[in-house]
Amino acid sequence: MLFSLLFGSLLSAETPEQPQENTSPRPEIHFDELKNDYRIIGRLGKPVGTFHTIHGTWKRFNFSGRQLFFEVTHVDFQQLTEPQLYPERHFKVALPWEIDQSRVDPDHSLIYEYRVWESLEYFGTPDDFWKESGLPESIGVLPGIKIKFEKEFLPLELTSELNYVKVRSMNEEEANRRLAKLTVADSRLISSPQKRDISFYNLRDQYQIIGRLGKPLGEYSTIRGYWQKGKIPRGRDVYHLLLFHVTHLNGSALEKPIIFDRKWSGVQSYGGLPFDPPVGKPVESEIWEMRVVEVMRHKGMAAGYNRESGLIEQHNSVFELYDGLLFHRRPKIVRYTSKLTEPAK
């Protein structure tokens, strides 16, 4: 059968011999440069933040336990040279109130067609988390916990996520008929005159991403700064937000504050201790001192989201790469701005 040949590719090849690890320093790429000067080409082979039609099947593997994987075999009706596996946690519905997720059936080899866009996220558990926090590893405080009372460590790494707005399932016969009637889309990638292309795999494996704090993403730093109200433009809108102005980094005063907004960039906790109340909302003029790591992710809806999902015409599409700060201890809060000149500890 046509579809059997197209969709029958399994990850059965022998694992190639691993090359020796390259210990030379990786070239650095700064967050602002990545955001402004580069177009990121995702695992689907297409620019992130653009809509595409994918086909594949949900699978379970012996190594994955209860974790489901979606094996993408076709993008825009073009067969991939090598199928791409996405764990369930990196495959997200954009309209949970309109899509019935119960239709996923990995045991009957149904073929699924999704309308998706791809986004990236650099997030997880830093290597030094337990040493830095002083917490016993038996305490599950991380957002990586998928099963109650059972801890799952998510490595701090760059990952690719798929966000979908439409889904349909079909058997092999239906899929054959659908593919036979559709015109195959042009799979060539049109170059961007404004930006340079960089692939997800090159970014993940070959570069070290330097955040706006001037440190590699995921590296711990001690910062001090103050909260102040300000305006942040996003698309056609302007938001009035509390902004965190970083004034000290690892005990040294900065020449110019580095500003993080609370809504998009995020200044938030990894997770709460079991018996501690949550950290309160910041107040203007409060000074916070924190032990943080900087992370990043794409946020917002891809262009054409409303049209793709059958909603009213989209008027303010915002899809951008943002960085944020995550702290694991309760911030030290000083309520008097006069103490801002004290040296950071």
Side-chain angles (χ1 to χ4, degrees):
M1 298 287 291
L2 168 64
F3 207 89
S4 296
L5 292 175
L6 293 177
F7 278 85
S9 302
L10 297 176
L11 304 181
S12 57
E14 293 182 1
T15 303
E17 183 177 348
Q18 297 297 319
Q20 291 186 351
E21 185 177 355
N22 184 4
T23 57
S24 59
R26 292 189 294 174
E28 295 180 350
I29 185 168
H30 287 256
F31 170 81
D32 286 334
E33 180 186 7
L34 180 63
K35 178 179 178 178
N36 299 323
D37 300 337
Y38 283 89
R39 182 176 70 165
I40 303 174
I41 308 301
R43 290 182 59 196
L44 296 180
K46 307 291 184 178
V48 300
T50 54
F51 273 97
H52 302 281
T53 300
I54 63 171
H55 290 83
T57 55
W58 284 97
K59 295 180 178 293
R60 286 192 181 99
F61 296 95
N62 291 335
F63 64 81
S64 64
R66 297 177 61 176
Q67 178 71 46
L68 287 175
F69 288 81
F70 188 74
E71 184 182 53
V72 181
T73 56
H74 289 67
V75 177
D76 292 337
F77 309 99
Q78 294 279 341
Q79 186 177 13
L80 297 178
T81 305
E82 197 172 309
Q84 297 292 313
L85 281 179
Y86 282 82
E88 187 179 20
R89 67 174 179 266
H90 293 155
F91 202 99
K92 300 179 178 180
V93 58
L95 291 172
W97 57 91
E98 291 190 5
I99 296 178
D100 181 10
Q101 294 175 278
S102 64
R103 283 182 287 180
V104 169
D105 188 353
D107 298 320
H108 291 84
S109 299
L110 289 177
I111 298 149
Y112 289 87
E113 176 183 293
Y114 288 94
R115 192 68 173 157
V116 303
W117 80 86
E118 187 174 0
S119 59
L120 303 186
E121 181 177 41
Y122 185 89
F123 186 79
T125 308
D127 293 338
D128 294 332
F129 175 84
W130 298 107
K131 181 178 70 176
E132 285 277 347
S133 65
L135 298 172
E137 295 190 19
S138 59
I139 296 179
V141 295
L142 303 183
I145 301 172
K146 303 297 290 185
I147 305 171
K148 198 172 184 179
F149 306 121
E150 182 178 333
K151 184 166 66 275
E152 178 188 18
F153 290 97
L154 297 179
L156 185 64
E157 63 181 0
L158 185 67
T159 58
S160 162
E161 297 185 343
L162 295 181
N163 311 271
Y164 68 92
V165 296
K166 295 178 183 177
V167 57
R168 61 181 295 179
S169 61
M170 39 194 152
N171 57 31
E172 185 176 320
E173 182 180 355
E174 292 172 322
N176 277 321
R177 290 200 303 265
R178 179 160 173 74
L179 286 183
K181 293 180 180 179
L182 290 169
T183 303
V184 175
D186 189 347
S187 62
R188 291 175 296 178
L189 189 64
I190 301 175
S191 61
S192 171
Q194 292 84 21
K195 295 187 176 185
R196 292 172 283 174
D197 285 346
I198 186 169
S199 76
F200 164 81
Y201 289 109
N202 284 345
L203 183 61
R204 184 192 67 179
D205 300 333
Q206 298 181 16
Y207 286 88
Q208 184 175 62
I209 305 173
I210 305 299
R212 289 198 294 135
L213 291 179
K215 303 291 183 181
L217 295 186
E219 182 177 297
Y220 280 98
S221 301
T222 300
I223 63 171
R224 173 181 277 202
Y226 61 93
W227 292 96
Q228 188 175 36
K229 292 180 181 179
K231 299 179 182 179
I232 293 291
R234 288 291 179 266
R236 299 175 185 176
D237 297 328
V238 176
Y239 293 85
H240 297 261
L241 304 169
L242 269 181
L243 309 178
F244 187 68
H245 297 246
V246 180
T247 58
H248 292 72
L249 176 67
N250 293 332
S252 299
L254 301 176
E255 293 183 4
K256 183 179 180 181
I258 303 170
I259 301 174
F260 292 82
D261 70 79
R262 189 163 180 261
K263 183 177 177 63
W264 280 276
S265 295
V267 180
Q268 54 191 287
S269 172
Y270 260 49
L273 291 174
F275 306 108
D276 282 354
V279 175
K281 293 183 179 180
V283 176
E284 188 172 23
S285 299
E286 270 189 348
I287 301 167
W288 284 23
E289 183 172 289
M290 299 174 282
R291 190 76 168 152
V292 299
V293 295
E294 188 174 354
V295 294
M296 72 175 193
R297 68 174 302 176
H298 280 107
K299 286 188 176 183
M301 299 299 183
Y305 169 82
N306 282 28
R307 181 177 65 252
E308 290 281 349
S309 55
L311 302 176
I312 61 174
E313 187 62 28
Q314 187 165 330
H315 68 280
N316 187 23
S317 176
V318 177
F319 178 83
E320 292 186 8
L321 190 64
Y322 295 94
D323 62 338
L325 301 177
L326 297 177
F327 57 88
H328 68 254
R329 303 175 189 169
R330 298 182 69 81
K332 181 187 297 184
I333 299 175
V334 182
R335 295 187 179 274
Y336 301 100
T337 54
S338 61
K339 295 189 177 182
L340 185 62
T341 56
E342 292 182 359
K345 296 180 181 179

